[in-house]
Amino acid sequence: GVAWYVNHGHFGAYWQATVISNFHKGRAIPEVFAHTVRFLLLLSLPLTASALLGQIRMRQEQGSTPFARLLRLWLLAALIGFLAVPNFYSHYALALVPVLAVAAAPWFAHGLVGRGVAILSILWALHYGQTFDFGKAGQSAQRFDRVTQVVRANMPHGTLYIHDGPPWIYHTASAKLPGRFVFPEHLSMATEAGAIGVDPVSELARILAGKPDVIVLTDTVKPDYNRATFALLQKEVERHYTPVCTLPGKDFEHEFTFHVLSRSPNPDRSACPAGSLGSKVLPKPWPA
C-alpha cells in the first residue's frame, strides 16, 4: 500500500494522514468523549468480558506460553493504537475486535457455558449494531434517497459541498468532489483543525469561491464544531444561497434534519415535501 503512494508521488499526503495528523488532533470535548466511550462499552461488553475470562482460563491451563505472550503483546499494541489518538470515532475500535475474539476463544470453548456466552455475544452485537433492524434501515434509505433527489435537481454544474452530512451523497448525486477533504468533519470540526495539514478556513474559502451549486448540512448538535468555518459558511449562505427545503434524516445513532441550499435564486423544489422550506439562518451545531 505504501509503495503505491510512493510510486505516485503522494507519500507526503499519506504520511500526513496516517501519522502526523494523529499528533495534531485536538482533544475531544468531555461530553463527546463520554458518549463515545459509553456506546463502545455497551456494544463490546460481552466480548471484552469474555476476552478477560479467556485469558484467565488460558493462564490457568497453559501458563505463560509463547502464544499467550504474543497474544498479550497483540492486545497491548491494539490498545495503544486505539488510545494514541486523543479524539477518536467509535469505528476506530474495530482494530480491537480480532484480538479480543482470539483472546476470548478459550472461554468460548469452555463447555456449554462458554458456547452460550459466545452466542450471547453475537446476539448482543447484532442487537445493538441494528443489523436486522430492517424498518429503520428502510426508513433511513428512503430519507437519504429524497435528499439525493433534491440535490440532483439543483446541480446544473454538478457541484456540491457537504458541510455536515453523509459524504456518500457526493456519489449518489453524481456530484464532483469539492477537494481532497471529502469527509465533512475535516473542515467542520474544531478537533480536526490542526490535523489536516492546511488551514480549514482557507480551504473552505477556496471551496466556496468555486460557487458550488448546492450546500448541504444538518442540524445535528456537535459541541466540538469549528466556529470559524461555520461563520464563513453562514456569511456565504446569507449572500448567495436560497433555501431549497429541509428534509428528515436518520442514521445509526440518531435522527436529524437535512438543510439543502441552492446557489440559484429559483431552486427546484419539486422533490421537496409540502411545508419544508428552510431558512438562510443556519442551525448552530453547538449547544446554546
Side-chain angles (χ1 to χ4, degrees):
V2 177
W4 186 93
Y5 286 99
V6 173
N7 186 52
H8 288 77
H10 298 303
F11 178 75
Y14 168 84
W15 187 254
Q16 164 65 36
T18 59
V19 179
I20 302 300
S21 63
N22 294 318
F23 296 101
H24 292 281
K25 278 192 175 186
R27 296 196 173 275
I29 291 177
E31 60 188 281
V32 178
F33 179 81
H35 172 78
T36 304
V37 169
R38 284 196 302 269
F39 174 74
L40 288 176
L41 287 176
L42 183 64
L43 184 61
S44 66
L45 181 60
L47 183 58
T48 303
S50 296
L52 177 61
L53 292 172
Q55 288 310 289
I56 293 174
R57 180 173 172 77
M58 178 182 285
R59 179 176 286 273
Q60 290 174 341
E61 294 183 347
Q62 303 178 17
S64 184
T65 64
F67 176 75
R69 291 193 293 272
L70 175 62
L71 188 58
R72 287 196 294 272
L73 289 174
W74 181 14
L75 180 58
L76 179 63
L79 282 170
I80 291 175
F82 176 64
L83 297 174
V85 182
N87 174 36
F88 59 83
Y89 298 94
S90 54
H91 63 268
Y92 287 14
L94 287 173
L96 294 170
V97 174
V99 65
L100 288 175
V102 174
W107 174 245
F108 288 158
H110 185 51
L112 291 177
V113 174
R115 292 183 179 88
V117 174
I119 294 172
L120 174 63
S121 299
I122 294 172
L123 294 176
W124 184 280
L126 291 175
H127 171 70
Y128 282 100
Q130 304 175 33
T131 304
F132 296 108
D133 192 344
F134 298 119
K136 181 175 181 179
Q139 188 180 47
S140 177
Q142 289 175 358
R143 294 180 176 185
F144 189 87
D145 289 343
R146 176 64 67 87
V147 174
T148 298
Q149 291 173 26
V150 173
V151 170
R152 276 181 174 171
N154 289 277
M155 285 198 315
H157 304 101
T159 54
L160 167 68
Y161 171 60
I162 302 172
H163 190 70
D164 180 40
W168 186 242
I169 297 175
Y170 285 119
H171 175 74
T172 58
S174 301
K176 301 172 185 176
L177 298 181
R180 61 192 182 98
F181 301 105
V182 177
F183 291 102
E185 291 82 0
H186 285 142
L187 302 183
S188 66
M189 307 293 278
T191 46
E192 298 286 338
I196 63 176
V198 300
D199 174 30
V201 175
S202 299
E203 177 63 13
L204 178 56
R206 183 196 65 77
I207 291 172
L208 296 177
K211 303 177 182 180
D213 295 327
V214 176
I215 290 176
V216 172
L217 73 160
T218 76
D219 65 354
T220 307
V221 175
K222 293 185 174 71
D224 48 355
Y225 237 61
N226 188 323
R227 285 165 168 76
T229 56
F230 184 82
L232 177 60
L233 181 71
Q234 176 69 76
K235 186 181 297 184
E236 182 71 9
V237 165
E238 290 176 350
R239 289 177 177 175
H240 303 294
Y241 284 82
T242 301
V244 181
C245 56
T246 58
L247 299 163
K250 181 191 286 285
D251 64 12
F252 180 73
E253 296 182 61
H254 50 261
E255 297 195 21
F256 53 88
T257 300
F258 282 105
H259 294 257
V260 182
L261 303 112
S262 170
R263 192 164 182 92
S264 169
N266 299 300
D268 185 340
R269 296 192 174 96
S270 59
C272 296
S276 63
L277 180 62
S279 168
K280 280 199 172 190
V281 178
L282 304 181
K284 288 187 178 181
W286 56 84

